[in-house]
Amino acid sequence: MTNIRTILAEAGAGLENVIKVTVFSVDLNNRKAMNEVRFEMFGEHRPASTHVEVSRLIDPEWLVEVECVAEAPE
């Protein structure tokens, strides 16, 4: 989420511009921890979200990958 915030800032946006989050997780038991991080990062802003369990990610050491869609600020 810190990386996402940094990328958004480079585009002149922030987490408040995120309209959709997709979380890919190798273990859905991580959902509670991921939600805690999301709530901490997004605050009151609640973008649409999907959490998907996958068999593996591109790097075998990764447990979670996050994809966001953001609206460009005006």
Side-chain angles (χ1 to χ4, degrees):
M1 296 301 294
T2 301
N3 290 344
I4 290 170
R5 184 173 27 196
T6 300
I7 292 166
L8 289 167
E10 289 176 8
L15 292 173
E16 68 277 3
N17 298 102
V18 174
I19 57 175
K20 171 89 169 81
V21 177
T22 304
V23 177
F24 301 93
S25 177
V26 297
D27 184 352
L28 280 181
N29 290 320
N30 294 330
R31 184 171 184 250
K32 181 179 178 189
M34 185 61 209
N35 281 341
E36 289 173 5
V37 170
R38 285 183 58 234
F39 293 147
E40 179 182 324
M41 297 296 289
F42 283 108
E44 295 297 314
H45 178 60
R46 297 286 186 260
S49 65
T50 303
H51 197 143
V52 180
E53 186 173 38
V54 295
S55 61
R56 66 181 181 169
L57 296 167
I58 192 94
D59 184 325
E61 294 185 16
W62 292 356
L63 301 176
V64 173
E65 184 172 338
V66 180
E67 173 185 85
C68 290
V69 175
E71 179 179 43
E74 295 186 33

